[in-house]
Every structure is written in structure tokens, then in C-alpha cells.
Amino acid sequence: MAQGAGVAQQQPTWELVLKRNSIERLKQEKFPLDIVHELPDLIAKGYEAVPEEDIVRLNWWGLTHDKPKVGTFMVRIKVPSGRITPAQLVAIGRISRRYGRNYSQLTTRQGIQLHWVRLDQLPEVLAEIQLSGLTTAGGEGDTVRNVTSCPLAGVDREELFDVRPVVEAVAKFFYGNRDYSNLPRKHKYTISACPAQCNAPEIHDVALVGVWKDGRPGFAVRVGGGLSATPRISRDLGVFVPAEPVDGVVEVLRAITDTWQHDLRYRLSRAKARIKFMVDDYGPEGVRALVEARLGRRLEDGRAPEPTHDTDHPGVHPQKQAGRMYVGVPVPMGWITGDQLVALGELVASFDGDVRFTRMQNLIVTHVPEDRVGWLAQALAGLGLDPHRNPVYARSIACTDHRFCNYSVAETKGKLKDILAELEARFGQAVGGLRIYTDGCPHACAHHWVGDIGLQGTTTVHPEKGVRVEAYDVCLRGGLGTRAAIGKPLLRRIPEDRITEVVCRLVEAWLRERAQREDGYAFRDFVDGHTDEDLQAIALGKEVLEEEAPRRPVVRIPGMFLPFTGGADRLEVEARTVREALEVLRRRYPRLVEQILTLEGQVHASVNLFVAEEDIRGLQGLDTSLAPGQELTILPALSGG
């Protein structure tokens, strides 16, 4: 079989994989899912005595260090397609109140996460979550993550067909399945028959996109989407998979995932392990051929449909069920308390409804009797969940935030809250359709690459104060749906005390131009109608000179290492090799280099160093050359989950 361009002819050996990839060694030494059985022993040892390798393995149960690392954990709960019952809402709310300081966050994968849970409380918390009918298994780690969908599956009048049986079967098969819990990296499925494709199939590893063919419901397949530091829009595999039997859909998902997970090329380096790199190497046609070879049969030809329109399903609308309505509810920044979850569950149970979490960190109440919509809206507002809040709060998202995340280098949720409040104060409902996506680091958990305005946290030296402060890169020209595109960073290192005004200038210029038109002039129309230089000048309120390219190599520092650099996440160094760069850093920040190199001068097994997306272990090691402007990225081995 012909291989794609750039794909090596010879498969690497497991010996080479284990030599280069510390996480692959970690998984070989002890299967991560089994760590749950060791929790009593870990608790008995005490948090400080728990090996870091076992802390990493806890990721496979959706458990991750809170920041700072003092023994409390984030607990990420998987909710397939975001559909949650009133009883489950009450259960999670009570867990949040008892163990998580009454605090929760809705996620961009239609799940929910708790924080502040102590190590000694984890067995009780996991047991209570399981008792509710939910799970954390595979919430992080090299697993199949939460399966997402259109939140209105089964109730939307416009859906092509109901995908809930498929989602349920896929979740039942893959969640906690040992055969799919040692993947090269995380793996994200989305399954929907929403004609608007609100579930973002463009940025998923594997997306099943609903379509009809010859009178049969089924799916087109898109593969290889993803964001992080190397964003990709998924590509059409060119096939049709019938929705029935459901086992046939699971079989195809297994074949796609197995084709990737059993190719050792994608286990050598965690920086290039996601399935998007396999699609880069082989192309969609080549990947299809590999999948068909694994299946032992040819798949039907098909074509992924284009989205018909753009929506996140806000507002109040009739369902396909007569006399029933759904009510979209903004949850600003995804913040929701345990008290709100309990009260919401009890409220929705009173009319036999349910709730759907959305990828936009909001919720939708379904099966509302038509004559009780007004009553429900008033009751929700009384809980602090006002359905009539300015839509900009529903369309803007932020990642976990530097308050909890060890990778984040800048505030996200609090900063987004401030920006939205200022936009609303200045422009009112005119900004209702705007999407601002805010990330604290390059992992892009809040999808800054595809927002109307994407903000990525960084740091800079303040031009007036002369001290290092949090800052943001500004990304424009991105989008999903009918205008899917990866955005472009147009402004770099805007200090945190100036970013709100930068955003307001861009929005004000857009609204001023929109007022002179009659054609629904969207923010994307505005940015596409201006040059990069125009947009930079508008944002900064002055003529912009093009930023000079770095003349020396640049070292990127993750959030958890910032205490060792005085907060600097980007450092220019005079160096020709990685070794020389680390020597420069050793003189400036000796404690930083202690986190990177062992006493013997080798890179710690828990740390990866990347040059041009390649792990230096696969290049010339510490003697890997660095060119002016080239980036050396320091990343903990499991960074990005």
C-alpha cells in the first residue's frame, strides 16, 4: 500500500518508543486505570509521599492537580452529549457542596468539573459519582474523552435524525475500555445530526456528521481536527456509515482509532501523537485506505455536508414534541455552584424535564411545558441563571483559568468577565452575537483559534511600569460552522491592563461600520474586510509598526515553571544549541534548570523539550541546533492531558 508523503517506510520499535517517550514507559510500567485500586495506599502514604508518576496516572480517572499543588484535585465528570437528569444534577450539586467548596465549572466538552477535592476524599467522590450513573473514567489521559453531540439531540425540530442511541452505544463501549485507554494521546469523538453542526466537528479527532443517503440515516466522517499549538481543521474521509446497526458505527470508530493507535510512529513524540498528524502524513484518502484494510472491507462513498447555518441554540424554542419547549440559559464563564445545581435539578424534576450542557459552557432546559416557560424563566433568574442575560455571555468562553490550571500563565475567566461587562456597558445588546474565546496557554482548551476574538495568555514587561505582567495575544479571522477557519495572531503581548480597551476598539469600529450597512454585517465580515495592518492600528489606536522578528532563539516556559523565572514565559537566549540555551537559563534561573535536567545533565523523564514540534530525543538531544527566531518549548510530559 502506498504511504503518504513524509511517512517513514520503517516502523519504529517499542524499544525506541520507550526510550524516547516517558509517558509510554509510565503506561507500560503500570496500567493507569488500575491506579484507582491503589488510592487507599496513596492516601495512607500522604500526599507528599505519592510518586509523581502516580499523580500522572490519576489523570486517567479525570483527576488532576489543582494549582497550587497542595494536595487538592480537579475532578472532571463525563456527561455523554451533555444530557443530564435532574437526579444527577442534584447528586453532583451535593458532591460539589460537600467536597468542592460549592464550586463547579461547565466544560467545553459538555461535562462538568469540580475543584478543591482532597486526596483522601477521592474514593468517596468517585463512588458517589458512579452511584449517580456518571463516570470520570477517561476524563483525562490518553483515552477516549467525553463524547459530545448537539445538546438538543432528540428534541430539535430541525435535526436530521436522533443520534442518542449512537452516542449512548459509543460511550458505553469506549468509556473505561482498557483497549482504548492506552492511546498515543487524548482522542475526541463528536456525533451529531444537527444541520448547523453546532458541535464543532471541524476541531475533533473524529466527527460523525449526520446525513441521509438513499433514504437511510447515517454519517459522513471527518478526521484529524484539533487545536493546541498546531491547529487543524478536520478533513472529510469521503465515506458514509449507516446509523444502523449501531454496532457498525462502533466498528468503524474502532477501526479509525486502531489504525492510529497501533502505528508506533505516533507514540514516539507526544508533540506529534494526535491523529491529526497521521492525517497530515497520509492524507484523508490514505487514512481511508488504512481503515478499510483494517476492517477488511470497503466503506460506502459519502461526502460530509456543509453546515446550513450557525447557532448554539440560545433562547426559547418549540421542540419536536408537541406542547414542549426548550430554554437556553447562559452560564457566564461556565461558573455554577453546587447550590444552583441542586436547585436546578429539583426545579426541572417538577415537570419531568432534563438539562443539556453545551460546548459553550451553558445549559439548556428541555421538555418545558409551553404554559410554564414564563414561570421557569423567573425561577431560573432567581437562581442566578437568567435566560434573558445578554447573549454575549452565552457565546464567550474561557478555559479552567490560572487559578486552578498549572499550565495557564494568565487569568482567563475573571478577565473575560471584565471584558464582557465593559462591552455590555458601552454597547448593550449590539454585542450579543460576538464570540470571545479566552485561553491561558497555547493548549487552546477554550478554542481561541476559532473565536471572533481569540485571546491567549502570555506575559510581558509592562512598557510603563517596567515589571513583568500578564498579557494576551489577540487572534482574529477564526471561526467554525459556515466560516470555519483557523485564526491568525495579529497582536502580541498586550498587557492585561490594556486588553479590554483593545477589544473595545475593535468592537466599536465593527459596530460603526455595521451601522452604515443593511446586510447583517458580522464581526468576521469586518475583520475580513480589513488588512492586518488596519486591524492592528484600530486595536491600538495608533499607527502600528511591524514587530521585529526575534534575532535569537526563544524559550517558551509553561505556567507551572513561572515561579522559577519571575513570571517570564518567553525568553530570548544567545545560543546555538539546546544545551547552550539551557546553560544560559542556568545562569539566569538555576532553579528552573533543576526542574529540566537531572544532576547527571540528562532531561528529566517528566519533561519534554521540543524544537519545531519535534522532541529533541528524536533529534540530536541536547546538541540539537537552534536558529535565530526558532522556539525551544519546555513542556511537562502529560501537558494538555
Side-chain angles (χ1 to χ4, degrees):
M1 179 183 300
Q3 293 182 320
V7 180
Q9 294 293 321
Q10 186 174 356
Q11 274 271 356
T13 63
W14 267 110
E15 181 182 10
L16 181 60
V17 168
L18 297 177
K19 180 180 178 181
R20 289 193 187 175
N21 193 325
S22 63
I23 295 300
E24 291 296 337
R25 291 199 303 274
L26 179 149
K27 292 185 290 185
Q28 290 273 334
E29 292 162 2
K30 185 192 300 182
F31 197 77
L33 281 180
D34 293 340
I35 194 67
V36 72
H37 305 304
E38 298 183 27
L39 273 176
D41 291 337
L42 300 181
I43 292 166
K45 287 180 182 177
Y47 171 74
E48 295 295 338
V50 177
E52 183 62 26
E53 291 81 4
D54 285 339
I55 295 291
V56 170
R57 292 183 180 101
L58 288 173
N59 278 251
W60 268 252
W61 284 91
L63 310 174
T64 299
H65 269 306
D66 272 335
K67 176 185 176 182
K69 295 182 177 182
V70 293
T72 66
F73 289 81
M74 178 190 79
V75 179
R76 180 172 289 161
I77 302 168
K78 296 168 84 169
V79 184
S81 73
R83 186 159 59 102
I84 191 166
T85 68
Q88 289 170 333
L89 284 167
V90 171
I92 300 306
R94 289 174 176 166
I95 294 170
S96 171
R97 290 196 303 204
R98 183 175 179 184
Y99 303 100
R101 302 187 188 180
N102 199 33
Y103 178 88
S104 310
Q105 295 180 1
L106 301 184
T107 76
T108 56
R109 291 207 63 73
Q110 296 180 279
I112 187 168
Q113 61 194 41
L114 314 178
H115 291 274
W116 284 302
V117 180
R118 298 195 315 266
L119 176 65
D120 63 288
Q121 296 172 326
L122 291 178
E124 300 167 60
V125 170
L126 293 178
E128 291 188 29
I129 291 170
Q130 185 175 13
L131 191 62
S132 76
L134 297 170
T135 187
T136 67
E140 291 197 74
D142 299 346
T143 63
V144 172
R145 301 295 182 86
N146 194 44
V147 180
T148 67
S149 184
C150 170
L152 294 179
V155 303
D156 185 13
R157 286 184 167 188
E158 296 184 347
E159 70 178 356
L160 301 178
F161 55 92
D162 186 358
V163 301
R164 287 178 299 175
V166 179
V167 171
E168 291 165 4
V170 171
K172 181 179 179 180
F173 180 83
F174 286 102
Y175 286 12
N177 187 322
R178 295 177 73 88
D179 292 338
Y180 296 91
S181 298
N182 179 15
L183 303 175
R185 277 292 263 117
K186 58 186 173 183
H187 200 50
K188 298 177 179 179
Y189 297 150
T190 191
I191 304 167
S192 177
C194 171
Q197 299 180 22
C198 70
N199 56 316
E202 306 94 334
I203 56 174
H204 277 76
D205 293 290
V206 183
L208 301 184
V209 184
V211 67
W212 284 83
K213 180 182 178 183
D214 301 330
R216 296 171 296 154
F219 301 99
V221 181
R222 297 182 61 122
V223 179
L227 296 176
S228 192
T230 51
R232 300 284 190 276
I233 296 294
S234 63
R235 283 151 280 187
D236 186 1
L237 211 57
V239 302
F240 173 81
V241 179
E244 298 175 351
V246 172
D247 288 350
V249 179
V250 173
E251 179 190 29
V252 171
L253 287 177
R254 291 184 65 186
I256 294 170
T257 303
D258 288 345
T259 297
W260 162 63
Q261 76 156 318
H262 294 306
D263 189 330
L264 295 186
R265 295 179 188 90
Y266 305 103
R267 292 185 184 267
L268 279 173
S269 167
R270 292 187 68 78
K272 304 192 78 170
R274 296 285 294 275
I275 199 172
K276 62 187 175 184
F277 295 106
M278 184 178 193
V279 181
D280 285 351
D281 289 340
Y282 287 95
E285 299 83 3
V287 172
R288 174 179 176 172
L290 292 170
V291 171
E292 290 174 336
R294 182 166 290 273
L295 284 169
R297 60 182 173 86
R298 182 169 174 79
L299 294 167
E300 290 187 50
D301 290 336
R303 183 178 178 183
E306 297 295 322
T308 57
H309 59 292
D310 296 312
T311 184
D312 299 314
H313 307 292
V316 179
H317 301 277
Q319 297 180 182
K320 63 169 62 174
Q321 293 82 7
R324 296 283 170 160
M325 312 286 285
Y326 68 82
V327 179
V329 184
V331 183
M333 279 56 70
W335 283 327
I336 191 164
T337 68
D339 290 340
Q340 287 174 314
L341 290 167
V342 170
L344 178 64
E346 293 172 347
L347 188 67
V348 175
S350 69
F351 54 83
D352 295 325
D354 66 15
V355 168
R356 317 293 180 90
F357 298 152
T358 81
R359 72 171 189 86
M360 299 299 294
Q361 301 172 326
N362 299 312
L363 58 87
I364 299 174
V365 180
T366 63
H367 302 295
V368 184
E370 192 171 357
D371 61 357
R372 301 189 72 181
V373 169
W375 163 83
L376 177 66
Q378 186 175 3
L380 288 169
L383 297 178
L385 299 169
D386 185 0
H388 302 303
R389 190 186 298 268
N390 191 315
V392 73
Y393 287 96
R395 294 190 167 104
S396 298
I397 56 180
C399 69
T400 295
D401 194 53
H402 75 334
R403 181 182 186 186
F404 298 110
C405 179
N406 287 286
Y407 305 116
S408 180
V409 299
E411 183 181 32
T412 58
K413 289 187 181 295
K415 179 54 67 176
L416 178 61
K417 178 184 177 182
D418 293 344
I419 291 172
L420 297 183
E422 185 64 24
L423 287 172
E424 184 178 36
R426 294 194 193 188
F427 309 116
Q429 294 293 315
V431 297
L434 196 65
R435 303 172 191 274
I436 302 177
Y437 296 172
T438 310
D439 278 307
C441 78
H443 295 147
C445 298
H447 310 158
H448 68 269
W449 290 110
V450 292
D452 285 333
I453 299 174
L455 305 178
Q456 182 196 310
T458 183
T459 67
T460 193
V461 174
H462 197 283
E464 295 170 0
K465 301 176 183 178
V467 296
R468 185 161 294 278
V469 296
E470 294 176 7
Y472 301 87
D473 293 342
V474 181
C475 185
L476 302 173
R477 306 196 191 284
L480 294 172
T482 59
R483 304 180 79 163
I486 300 299
K488 180 179 180 180
L490 291 186
L491 297 162
R492 299 283 191 179
R493 295 182 291 284
I494 305 298
E496 60 85 21
D497 63 352
R498 298 183 177 184
I499 189 62
T500 298
E501 194 59 37
V502 163
V503 171
C504 285
R505 288 194 193 103
L506 287 167
V507 172
E508 182 177 29
W510 160 53
L511 293 176
R512 186 167 54 245
E513 291 187 14
R514 190 176 74 172
Q516 301 170 0
R517 309 172 70 100
E518 299 178 355
D519 57 357
Y521 191 61
F523 187 83
R524 178 68 179 277
D525 296 318
F526 164 72
V527 297
D528 286 350
H530 290 271
T531 66
D532 292 355
E533 293 74 19
D534 286 343
L535 294 171
Q536 291 166 342
I538 290 168
L540 298 180
K542 60 183 180 181
E543 184 179 353
V544 176
L545 298 177
E546 187 173 346
E547 187 175 274
E548 185 177 350
R551 297 181 180 180
R552 299 177 293 179
V554 175
V555 183
R556 292 282 186 181
I557 313 293
M560 63 184 63
F561 289 165
L562 295 191
F564 307 115
T565 66
D569 72 321
R570 180 184 182 279
L571 303 166
E572 289 192 26
V573 293
E574 191 70 56
R576 294 167 298 176
T577 66
V578 172
R579 189 185 305 276
E580 290 182 7
L582 293 178
E583 283 304 314
V584 173
L585 292 180
R586 189 191 299 277
R587 292 193 291 272
R588 293 189 200 173
Y589 308 110
R591 292 187 61 211
L592 169 66
V593 178
E594 289 174 7
Q595 315 303 311
I596 301 168
L597 296 181
T598 66
L599 293 175
E600 295 75 27
Q602 301 300 311
V603 180
H604 276 296
S606 60
V607 173
N608 287 330
L609 300 178
F610 299 116
V611 175
E613 299 181 15
E614 295 288 350
D615 191 325
I616 66 166
R617 293 179 176 95
L619 300 172
Q620 286 77 48
L622 292 174
D623 294 318
T624 299
S625 62
L626 289 173
Q630 197 164 38
E631 292 192 353
L632 168 63
T633 302
I634 304 169
L635 218 54
L638 198 68
S639 184

